[in-house]
Amino acid sequence: MIIVMKHGSTPKEIERVIETIHKEGLKPHVSKGEETTIIGVIGDERKLDPVPFQLLPGVDRVIPVLKPFKLASRDFKPHDSVISVNGIYVGGKNFTVIAGPCAVESVEQVISTAKKVKNAGAVILRGGAYKPRTSPYSFQGLGPAGLKILAEAKKQTGLAVITEVLSETDLSSVAEVADILQIGARNMQNFALLDAAGKQKKPIMLKRGLMSTIEEFLLSAEYILSRGNHQVILCERGIRTFEKATRNTLDISAVPVIKKLSHLPVILDPSHAAGYQEYVPALSYAAAASGADGIMVEVHPHPEKALCDGQESLTPDQFKLVMQRVKAIVKVVGKKLSIVS
Ligand code: PEP
Ligand code: MN
């Protein structure tokens, strides 16, 4: 249920609605806009059925939310959420480019890539210190040593950093370095992790699960939002279909669908969707044209030597070329490339 207050409703009237919600054992979520205040109700709304909210002073209307997610929904927040990450904006009219290697491998690998992707127009550096790998025998990431390398890259280039957190246990150490915490596709329904991510302050980029519907995706985002962290960025990274020519199938239609249902920014990951370097440029252009809020691209100085996902990684030179066309498309769709302000 969403309670929309009248323009000019008084703090006392707002407080009364909040108290009424508390009294029924539910949690209010207050969103103060420039003109109106909107109060969302979190919890089992059936308890509120007998409460005639529309009769309380200052209440304009009461909207039942039929969708299973509330805080993630556009009904709750009609305008796009714009998330600020160290002076970079994600969402709204901004198109944000994140790039870097799949995994942090060495100081030299990360720093040389960071400098080059920054030069080509990326504003956030990606790189996994902790890697979720299908096989336990594959490279699992450098762990804490990888975080140190990311911190050094941040210091040297000024780029913001996104890196994956695999479990609640690592959350605070990863959050010390990361400007955005990534929750990967395989952890999209790790509810303990979502819960912990929602209780801390760093922005989260939540990747869509390999086999998850858009509704499940938004419900996972709802976990984080409902725990108090409103800085959530969604990432579509391809879903598993019957098609074997690509690693996954980029669900480009997820962009307009999510944009209709939710106010949260949506980033596309052409690298994990394609799985092969040669398809990454086309999917990047499609992402820019789709109205997405940005892309996250894997770039490695020597893809043939990469310890993880080399086959889908662009070289810095290839990335630079892709960015030239991405910039042109971003302009056509009425967005602007995020820059460090
Ligand atoms: C990644 O982006 O590093 C990653 C592991 O991707 P995904 O979770 O989408 O597979
Ligand atoms: Mn990867």
Side-chain angles (χ1 to χ4, degrees), residues 97-99 117-125 159 319 323 337-338 340:
V97 178
I98 306 170
V117 296
K118 181 181 178 186
N119 199 259
V123 284
I124 301 176
L125 173 69
L159 288 173
F319 177 68
M323 281 300 289
L337 208 68
S338 294
V340 184

Side-chain angles (χ1 to χ4, degrees), residues 126 131-132 164 182 184-186 207 237 269 272 296 298:
R126 66 147 289 144
K131 293 304 304 172
E164 180 159 354
Q182 177 172 321
R186 289 156 191 83
K207 299 191 87 177
R237 45 77 77 206
D269 173 347
H272 291 90
M296 180 164 83
E298 285 184 338

Side-chain angles (χ1 to χ4, degrees), residues 101-103 126-128 130-133 163-164 166 182-188 205 207-210 235-238 247-248 269 271-273 296 298 308-309 312:
C102 177
R126 66 147 289 144
Y130 294 91
K131 293 304 304 172
R133 303 304 300 276
T163 194
E164 180 159 354
L166 280 182
Q182 177 172 321
I183 296 187
R186 289 156 191 83
N187 263 329
M188 189 203 85
M205 187 168 85
K207 299 191 87 177
R208 181 177 178 186
L210 278 70
C235 178
E236 156 62 38
R237 45 77 77 206
R247 183 175 180 187
N248 294 286
D269 173 347
S271 307
H272 291 90
M296 180 164 83
E298 285 184 338
C308 186
D309 287 352
E312 66 193 32

